[in-house]
């Protein structure tokens, strides 16, 4: 399995017979791990897990129940590489997420603060032995296997699988695109199997042979046979009949029919002869088993990449190895790692292409080489002097394949060059079908191009996707596609993807898993390409405006906010007077506004764009669009700390909802009203509205009818969790948090928004382990998806955690540093909670005057802004500051506690009431009035029916035990 989620088989030694194959299975919960195969399954289904995360899992499973230090883990997982602890935390967070660690009470990995990690679940081990096959010996005097490479980059997985396949089957063809490394792999497999065949391994290079009638003659002559006729087939088969030999037939694609017939005849007549062939096309011969060799794995686009992490990807390893071997001087910083990764992706992980580019580093350097590739994928760069002619340049490699195509296949290939990356068969038919090349001819040509490895096949669920490698696409664009023809193709391409966005756009918000979203993310590459063409020189700007308007809601739904901003702004600037005020501008202004809001927190610009979009929606009578825009304006004002204005937008949305029969709109209005009630401290009405929202909203699998409401499910859920905690139901609150996070796990904007408030519930309950796990998760998503304002909140939560963990000094310094960014990002609601934590930290380090000033400022702020629900906690902290003074002011403290108690009772926030009651009871104990403290605390404690494992209830129980 390739990609970021693949398990790189770094520690697997190529199989050598006759050593027995030993397989150990490790089991825990629903998971099974076969370490030797680097395979993880859950309930029998393969589970996706990154390479480093898999290595960490194996290390932890090797010593269950034992704390393994961070340095030791890094040394095991990144041997010989200097890696920062942040890389370890990142991959541990990915591992926890893949295992569902911390959800529904399931725990696998525990963190020992400052030390390391341990695997805490029971682990079962089982070992199975497989006897090796018997190896007969025979003499062979004609071995000609080329020398084995001293170093081969990450083909251990392929080599092991091919070795196993060759033991089981007699005829295997390694198929792949030109330059992917088929010959190299075949030679290494031959060396691995030399003992198995007692040295009887014959390598036959067919690339220099143009006459198919000579195939048998060449093989026979390499075996030392005296050929006395034009057809050496009968002599060759007679010789092989009782021989145990491995024939490696390299580069068969141009002689495919002859090789296929000959191979089938050998299989029948010579039962001890094995054949390993390489070809860009399957031979389709009797008894053939195909092994498709994929390109080398590249770092994924959009991921934060350090130099250390980059070196774990085989395409990067090959690039560095070949660059250094050619004499290049490389510092390979994080910045260079990102550039090299982009080059490897552009070269599709094709080994030959990577080697050719790497050889240019000594001459041009990293940046200039990358620039040359961006300007024009250089097909003429020359490789090693000893390489076969067909592999001297990329041009020669593709020329070799192009000459083997039929005329119709060439025409279709030229037309498919308009696609970027992966495309569907529907897209191919829409673009490539014309009057001269009808649908049936296009389908037949695609079949042929796939068979000849000119088009790569990418399964996606039950559907199949197709892709031209960038090298093939560049060849077609630069050598065989006319500019005038390309304009027509580009127009059909842009029209198809505009229609695709308009047709499928509503579905994007219900794609629940990464697997479901992946094909849509990939298809957006073609939308991007179409937009670039439309707004470029010679493009169609009117078509571009329509395409950008169709793309804006989808970019938003898929959290692609920088692109949403770029294309919405570009299209708005291109609007003429006749198109202003229409649906296109409505979508574009909304797209611009959402990107302003989430990327850099430009609230005023966002408000202006939202109001423009809302005005158009009202003029057009688009009620459901109005609902979505009012919902976002509500959130925008909450983030700005203007809760009174947010309440008014909630009321406007509620009024619009009453004028429609749409169930989703009504649920959406309940959600906004519930949040508005919560902010002002009316938790009873908040709970009623939020539960109504969850009860009446459609199933997440149903398409949302409310505009831009892709994340509609997390807001009522996460705020209901906070409401439940405030009302005194901490267990239900935590359960609701986990349930809500599951619903938005694959929507980065919604996920980080939910985590912003979910983590607060973990702080309230005192579950710092879950808080830390979810903060790491939060940051990895926010930074990976350029969610600047959300990332600022994540780092604030990290500092908040330090204060809760007792590292008050460092936590206060960090939180102070982040507060400017948090204010700039307009996180109005969470600012209050950060101020509360900051005040706690200031108290802990003895800065009482500053703590008191901050608390009083925050009280004034919530009174004016309207988010009064945390005020009882602020008053309680104010009382604690009075008690912490060098000369404690017990009277002032009691006054603050009593105010807090009165307000918490008026709000019906039982959890705030419990905290304040604990403080008051302790104050009474200090005065020698323990019975008064007991009478105050006990009835409050007895009103709780759950959550007795949480920090506040444990503290209350301990105090009551003392008082009794």
């Amino acid at each position: 399995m390739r990609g970021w989620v693949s398990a790189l088989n770094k520690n697997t030694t190529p199989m050598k017979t006759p050593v027995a194959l030993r397989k150990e299975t490790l089991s825990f919960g629903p998971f099974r791990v076969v370490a030797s195969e680097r395979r993880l399954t859950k309930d029998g289904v393969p589970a996706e897990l990154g390479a480093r995360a898999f290595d960490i899992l194996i290390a932890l499973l090797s010593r269950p129940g034992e704390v393994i230090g961070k340095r030791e883990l890094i040394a095991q997982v990144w041997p010989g590489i200097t890696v920062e602890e942040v890389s370890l935390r990142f991959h541990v967070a990915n591992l926890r997420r893949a295992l569902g660690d911390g959800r529904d009470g399931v725990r696998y990995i525990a963190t020992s603060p400052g030390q390391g990690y341990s695997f805490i679940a029971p682990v079962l081990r089982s070992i199975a032995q497989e006897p090796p096959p018997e190896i007969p010996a025979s003499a062979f005097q004609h071995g000609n296997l080329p020398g084995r490479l001293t170093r081969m980059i990450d083909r251990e997985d392929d080599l092991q699988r091919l070795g196993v396949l060759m033991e089981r089957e007699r005829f295997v063809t390694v198929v792949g695109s030109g330059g992917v490394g088929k010959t190299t792999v075949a030679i290494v497999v031959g060396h691995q199997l030399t003992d198995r065949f007692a040295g009887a391994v014959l390598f036959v290079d067919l690339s220099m042979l143009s006459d198919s009638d000579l195939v048998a003659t060449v093989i026979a002559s390499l075996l030392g046979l005296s050929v006395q006729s034009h057809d050496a087939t009968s002599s060759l088969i007679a010789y092989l009949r009782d021989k145990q030999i491995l024939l490696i037939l390299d580069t068969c694609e141009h002689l495919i029919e002859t090789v296929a017939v000959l191979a089938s005849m050998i299989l029948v007549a010579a039962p001890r002869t094995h054949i390993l062939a390489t070809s860009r096309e399957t031979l389709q011969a009797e008894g053939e088993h195909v092994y498709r060799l994929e390109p080398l794995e590249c770092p994924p686009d959009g991921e934060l990449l350090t130099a250390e992490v980059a070196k774990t990807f085989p395409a990067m390893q090959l690039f560095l190895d070949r660059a250094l071997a050619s004499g290049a001087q490389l510092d390979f910083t994080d910045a260079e790692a990102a550039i090299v990764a982009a080059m490897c992706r552009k070269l599709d992980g094709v080994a030959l292409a990577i080697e050719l580019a790497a050889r240019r580093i000594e001459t041009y350097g990293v940046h200039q080489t990358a620039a040359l590739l961006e300007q024009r994928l250089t097909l003429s760069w020359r490789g090693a002097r000893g390489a076969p002619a067909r592999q001297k340049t990329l041009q020669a490699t593709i020329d070799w394949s192009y000459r083997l195509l039929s005329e119709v296949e060439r025409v279709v290939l030229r037309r498919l060059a308009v696609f970027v990356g992966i495309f569907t068969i529907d897209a191919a038919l829409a673009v490539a079908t014309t009057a001269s090349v009808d649908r049936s001819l296009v389908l037949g040509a695609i079949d042929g191009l796939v068979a000849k490895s000119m088009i790569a096949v990418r399964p996606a669920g039950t559907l199949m996707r197709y892709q031209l490698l960038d090298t093939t696409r560049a060849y077609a664009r630069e050598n065989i596609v006319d500019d005038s023809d390309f304009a027509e193709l580009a127009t059909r391409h842009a029209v198809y993807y505009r229609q695709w966005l308009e047709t499928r756009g509503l579905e994007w918000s219900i794609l629940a898993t990464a697997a479901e979203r992946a094909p849509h993310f990939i298809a957006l590459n073609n939308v991007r390409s179409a937009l670039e063409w439309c707004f470029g020189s010679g493009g169609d700007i009117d078509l571009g405006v329509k395409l950008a308007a169709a793309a804006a809601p989808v970019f938003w739904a898929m959290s692609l906010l920088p692109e949403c901003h770029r294309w919405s702004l570009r299209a708005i600037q291109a609007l003429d007077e006749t198109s202003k005020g229409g649906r296109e501008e409505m979508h574009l202004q909304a797209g611009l506004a959402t990107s302003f809001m989430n990327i850099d927190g430009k609230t005023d610009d966002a408000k202006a764009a939202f109001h423009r979009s809302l005005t158009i929606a009202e003029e057009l009578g688009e009620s459901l669009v109005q609902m979505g825009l009012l919902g976002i304006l509500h959130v925008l004002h909450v983030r700005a700390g203007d809760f009174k204005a947010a309440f008014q937008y909630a009321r406007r949305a509620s009024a619009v909802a009453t004028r429609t029969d749409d169930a989703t709109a009504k649920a959406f209005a309940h959600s906004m009203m519930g949040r508005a009630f919560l902010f002002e401290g009316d938790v009873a009405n908040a709970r009623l509205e939020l539960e109504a929202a969850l009860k009446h909203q459609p199933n997440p699998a149903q398409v949302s009818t409310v505009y831009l409401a892709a994340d509609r499910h997390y807001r009522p859920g996460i705020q209901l969790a906070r409401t439940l905690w405030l009302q005194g139901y901490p267990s239900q609150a935590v359960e609701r948090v986990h349930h809500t996070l599951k619903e938005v796990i694959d929507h980065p904007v919604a996920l980080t928004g939910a985590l912003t408030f979910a983590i607060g519930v973990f702080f309230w309950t005192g579950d710092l382990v879950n808080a830390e796990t979810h903060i790491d998760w939060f940051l990895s998503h926010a930074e990976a998806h350029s969610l600047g304002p959300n990332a600022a909140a994540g780092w604030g939560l990290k500092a908040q955690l330090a204060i809760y963990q007792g590292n008050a000094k460092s936590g206060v310094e960090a939180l102070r540093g982040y507060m400017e960014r948090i204010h700039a990002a307009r996180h109005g609601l969470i600012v209050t909670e950060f101020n509360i934590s900051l005040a706690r930290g200031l108290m802990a380090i003895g800065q009482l005057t500053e703590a008191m000033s901050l608390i009083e400022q925050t009280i004034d702020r919530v009174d004016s802004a309207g988010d009064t629900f945390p005020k009882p906690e602020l008053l309680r902290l104010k009382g604690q500051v009075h008690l912490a003074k060098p000369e404690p002011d017990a009277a002032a403290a009691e006054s603050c506690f009593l105010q807090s108690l009165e307000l918490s009772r008026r709000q019906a926030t039982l959890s705030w009431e419990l905290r304040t009651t604990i403080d008051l009871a302790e104050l009474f104990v200090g005065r020698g009035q323990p019975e008064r403290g007991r009478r105050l605390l006990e009835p409050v404690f007895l009103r709780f029916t759950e959550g007795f494992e949480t920090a506040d209830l444990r503290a209350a129980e301990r105090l009551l035990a003392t008082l009794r």
Side-chain angles (χ1 to χ4, degrees):
M1 182 171 55
R2 299 287 172 184
W4 180 256
V5 296
S6 71
L8 294 177
N9 201 354
K10 297 292 181 190
N11 301 316
T12 300
T13 302
M15 185 199 72
K16 294 182 180 180
T17 54
V19 179
L21 298 177
R22 177 184 173 93
K23 294 185 178 180
E24 182 176 44
T25 300
L26 306 175
S27 305
F28 57 92
F31 293 96
R32 302 289 181 272
V33 177
V34 181
S36 63
E37 298 179 7
R38 297 183 65 79
R39 177 161 51 89
L40 173 68
T41 60
K42 180 180 181 182
D43 295 324
V45 178
E48 294 184 350
L49 189 62
R52 296 305 181 185
F54 189 90
D55 291 337
I56 292 167
L57 175 61
I58 294 299
L60 295 174
L61 287 173
S62 68
R63 288 148 62 184
E66 180 181 341
V67 176
I68 303 179
K70 295 177 182 178
R71 291 288 96 195
E72 183 180 353
L73 270 176
I74 288 173
Q76 288 187 45
V77 177
W78 288 273
I81 301 175
T82 301
V83 177
E84 299 296 329
E85 284 188 14
V86 66
S87 294
L88 178 63
R89 289 199 300 272
F90 174 82
H91 289 291
V92 169
N94 285 341
L95 174 58
R96 280 174 161 153
R97 184 165 65 255
L99 298 180
D101 190 32
R103 299 179 205 161
D104 302 324
V106 175
R107 294 305 310 277
Y108 295 116
I109 301 170
T111 303
S112 295
Q115 298 181 49
Y117 303 92
S118 59
F119 197 88
I120 57 176
V123 179
L124 299 177
R125 296 174 181 268
S126 60
I127 297 174
Q129 294 287 343
E130 295 181 11
E134 293 198 7
I135 304 172
S138 63
F140 187 69
Q141 304 299 322
H142 305 283
N144 66 339
L145 197 58
R148 179 174 181 171
L149 290 176
T150 57
R151 183 170 182 231
M152 189 172 184
I153 304 297
D154 194 67
R155 286 297 188 188
E156 292 91 346
D157 235 4
D158 295 305
L159 296 174
Q160 186 186 42
R161 291 171 183 168
L162 273 168
V164 173
L165 191 58
M166 289 299 298
E167 289 288 342
R168 191 177 69 237
E169 308 295 343
R170 291 179 51 219
F171 179 16
V172 175
T173 302
V174 180
V175 175
S177 58
V180 78
K182 300 183 295 297
T183 300
T184 302
V185 166
I187 290 171
V188 176
V189 171
H191 279 284
Q192 285 183 195
L193 297 176
T194 296
D195 291 342
R196 167 69 175 81
F197 289 92
V201 179
L202 186 75
F203 181 84
V204 183
D205 181 3
L206 297 175
S207 64
M208 305 303 292
L209 191 63
S210 59
D211 187 347
S212 60
D213 292 338
L214 296 177
V215 171
T217 301
V218 167
I219 298 173
S221 64
L222 288 173
L223 287 169
L225 303 181
S226 176
V227 180
Q228 303 296 327
S229 66
H230 292 294
D231 185 6
T233 303
S234 58
S235 299
L236 174 62
I237 291 177
Y239 175 82
L240 294 174
R241 194 175 305 279
D242 61 348
K243 302 295 191 300
Q244 177 163 305
I245 293 177
L246 172 60
L247 295 178
I248 301 178
L249 307 180
D250 186 48
T251 315
C252 301
E253 56 270 4
H254 62 305
L255 307 167
I256 198 161
E257 292 185 5
T258 300
V259 174
V261 172
L262 179 61
S264 297
M265 294 173 65
I266 291 173
L267 284 186
V268 173
R272 299 174 67 195
T273 298
H274 289 231
I275 298 173
L276 176 60
T278 73
S279 175
R280 301 184 190 187
E281 179 178 0
T282 61
L283 304 186
Q284 296 185 0
E286 188 70 29
E288 178 189 29
H289 292 265
V290 175
Y291 185 90
R292 188 164 291 278
L293 190 64
E294 299 292 344
L296 293 171
E297 185 184 11
C298 304
D301 193 10
E303 296 285 351
L304 295 174
L305 191 70
T306 64
E308 287 76 13
V309 172
K311 290 175 185 176
T312 65
F313 289 88
M316 302 288 282
Q317 293 170 12
L318 178 64
F319 191 102
L320 292 175
D321 183 81
R322 300 303 186 259
L324 293 172
S326 66
Q329 300 297 315
L330 274 176
D331 295 331
F332 203 61
T333 61
D334 290 350
E336 286 186 335
I339 296 170
V340 173
M343 283 194 279
C344 289
R345 285 194 298 270
K346 186 170 184 62
L347 298 169
D348 300 299
V350 174
L352 174 63
I354 290 172
E355 291 189 24
L356 294 176
R359 290 175 180 273
R360 310 277 82 77
I361 298 298
E362 182 190 14
T363 304
Y364 301 114
V366 171
H367 290 80
Q368 188 60 35
T369 302
L372 289 171
L373 278 177
E374 282 300 320
Q375 295 162 11
R376 178 178 180 271
L377 203 158
T378 310
L379 301 171
S380 59
W381 280 345
R382 297 191 65 80
R385 296 183 189 278
R390 71 183 190 282
Q391 293 187 351
K392 288 287 188 182
T393 65
L394 288 177
Q395 178 90 28
T397 297
I398 304 173
D399 277 340
W400 174 272
S401 295
Y402 190 70
R403 287 195 296 268
L404 300 177
L405 303 181
S406 69
E407 184 56 38
V408 173
E409 287 171 342
R410 293 176 184 179
V411 170
V412 172
L413 178 67
R414 292 197 294 269
R415 293 177 181 178
L416 296 181
V418 73
F419 289 102
V420 175
I422 291 175
F423 54 90
T424 64
I425 193 66
D426 288 340
L429 289 170
V431 171
T433 302
T434 61
S436 59
V437 182
D438 63 20
R439 180 186 177 94
S440 63
L441 287 176
V442 172
L443 288 172
I446 290 175
D447 284 344
L449 292 168
V450 169
K452 294 177 174 67
S453 298
M454 296 294 282
I455 295 179
V457 179
R458 302 282 186 260
T462 59
L463 299 177
M464 197 66 73
R465 300 293 196 273
Y466 305 87
Q467 179 182 10
L468 267 68
L469 299 185
D470 267 3
T471 49
T472 305
R473 180 172 181 266
Y475 175 90
R477 291 285 299 274
E478 294 180 15
N479 294 277
I480 54 178
V481 177
D482 183 80
D483 288 342
S484 59
D485 291 340
F486 184 76
E488 181 182 349
L489 289 170
T491 300
R492 292 207 298 269
H493 177 262
V495 168
Y496 172 83
Y497 280 101
R498 176 199 168 195
Q499 294 170 345
W500 177 74
L501 288 168
E502 291 174 342
T503 304
R504 305 293 299 275
L506 290 176
E507 299 177 8
W508 292 65
S509 63
I510 63 168
L511 301 173
T513 67
E516 290 175 341
R517 287 171 175 263
H520 294 75
F521 271 122
I522 291 167
L524 285 178
N525 288 330
N526 281 289
V527 174
R528 297 180 182 103
S529 175
L531 285 166
E532 293 282 1
W533 177 79
C534 287
F535 288 107
S537 176
D540 187 334
I541 292 180
D542 289 340
L543 178 57
V545 168
K546 293 180 174 64
L547 181 61
V554 175
F555 281 141
W556 154 249
M558 303 301 277
S559 300
L560 299 170
L561 299 174
E563 292 178 274
C564 186
H565 181 272
R566 176 191 177 190
W567 294 114
S568 295
L569 182 61
R570 179 70 181 84
I572 288 171
Q573 293 170 341
L575 288 171
D576 56 29
E577 291 303 318
T578 60
S579 55
K580 288 182 178 178
R583 282 182 170 78
E584 280 82 15
E585 187 186 0
M586 179 181 72
H587 292 307
L588 293 169
Q589 293 286 0
L592 186 63
T594 54
S595 58
F596 272 137
M597 172 180 165
N598 288 282
I599 294 176
D600 49 23
K602 290 185 177 180
T603 308
D604 293 338
D605 291 336
K607 286 179 183 176
F610 272 128
H611 281 293
R612 173 61 180 161
S613 183
L614 181 59
T615 298
I616 297 173
E618 290 171 340
E619 291 173 352
L620 297 176
E622 295 278 0
S623 297
L624 297 177
V625 175
Q626 293 175 52
M627 283 294 301
L629 295 172
L630 288 167
I632 299 177
L633 282 164
H634 166 80
V635 172
L636 192 62
H637 283 80
V638 166
R639 284 176 48 164
D642 189 351
F643 298 93
K644 293 177 181 177
F647 206 125
Q648 295 308 311
Y649 281 108
R651 289 193 183 281
R652 284 180 64 181
S654 185
V656 173
T658 61
R659 300 195 294 268
T660 178
D661 293 329
D662 189 90
T664 303
K666 294 183 184 298
F668 197 71
H670 281 301
S671 173
M672 274 192 277
M673 288 301 299
R675 301 196 305 270
F677 279 130
L678 175 60
F679 300 148
E680 67 173 17
D682 187 351
V683 295
N685 275 322
R687 182 173 177 181
L688 288 173
E689 293 284 352
L690 293 169
E691 287 180 337
L694 293 173
K695 179 180 179 181
H696 297 295
Q697 70 183 2
N699 187 289
Q702 295 180 5
V703 173
S704 173
T705 53
V706 175
Y707 187 61
L708 298 182
D711 58 347
R712 66 192 186 280
H713 294 278
Y714 96 79
R715 296 190 190 281
I718 215 66
Q719 296 302 340
L720 178 59
R722 291 160 67 84
T723 302
L724 289 166
W725 184 87
L726 289 167
Q727 286 190 315
Y729 302 102
S731 295
Q732 292 183 52
V734 171
E735 182 181 355
R736 174 54 63 180
V737 163
H738 288 303
H739 180 77
T740 303
L741 293 179
K742 282 182 181 177
E743 291 187 337
V744 295
I745 192 169
D746 289 301
H747 191 292
V749 172
L751 178 62
T752 53
L755 284 169
T756 300
F757 300 103
I759 291 163
V761 175
F762 295 131
F763 284 146
W764 288 345
T765 59
D767 186 354
L768 301 187
V769 172
N770 252 321
E772 182 175 20
T773 299
H774 285 77
I775 288 171
D776 289 342
W777 189 16
F778 180 112
L779 287 171
S780 68
H781 273 69
E783 294 182 346
H785 294 278
S786 302
L787 304 177
N790 286 12
W795 286 111
L797 290 165
K798 192 78 169 179
Q800 197 176 358
L801 175 66
I803 294 172
Y804 274 95
Q805 289 175 329
N807 303 321
K809 185 176 180 180
S810 61
V812 166
E813 290 176 358
L815 191 51
R816 278 173 168 165
Y818 290 122
M819 285 305 287
E820 183 177 346
R821 289 175 58 190
I822 291 164
H823 281 295
R826 305 295 180 91
H827 281 293
L829 181 60
I830 203 169
V831 161
T832 301
E833 295 180 36
F834 284 144
N835 283 346
I836 289 172
S837 294
L838 187 54
R840 288 180 56 173
L842 290 167
M843 287 173 57
I845 61 177
Q847 297 184 17
L848 302 179
T849 302
E850 190 174 350
M852 180 64 81
S853 175
L854 179 61
I855 291 169
E856 289 177 342
Q857 290 173 16
T858 307
I859 289 173
D860 291 340
R861 178 184 167 281
V862 299
D863 284 340
S864 62
D867 61 325
T868 57
F869 84 89
K871 188 173 179 181
E873 180 72 347
L874 287 162
L875 290 167
R876 184 182 74 87
L877 286 178
K878 186 176 180 180
Q880 287 187 341
V881 175
H882 282 301
L883 289 177
K885 292 177 180 177
E887 296 182 5
D889 189 342
E894 182 176 0
S895 175
C896 290
F897 291 153
L898 290 173
Q899 291 179 60
S900 173
L901 199 59
E902 179 186 359
L903 182 55
S904 63
R905 287 170 176 169
R906 191 161 67 243
Q907 292 180 345
T909 49
L910 182 58
S911 290
W912 291 150
E913 184 180 353
L914 176 67
R915 287 187 173 184
T916 304
T917 304
I918 292 172
D919 285 358
L920 264 174
E922 289 177 338
L923 181 63
F924 294 152
V925 169
R927 292 175 177 173
Q929 300 172 310
E931 180 58 22
R932 183 181 179 190
R934 185 193 65 78
R935 290 198 307 270
L936 177 68
L937 178 58
E938 190 168 59
V940 177
F941 179 78
L942 291 175
R943 285 161 60 193
F944 282 85
T945 59
E946 60 171 63
F948 295 103
E949 73 286 354
T950 58
D952 291 340
L953 285 163
R954 289 202 309 268
E957 193 169 25
R958 286 194 300 268
L959 180 56
L960 280 173
T962 302
L963 295 175
R964 288 166 183 156

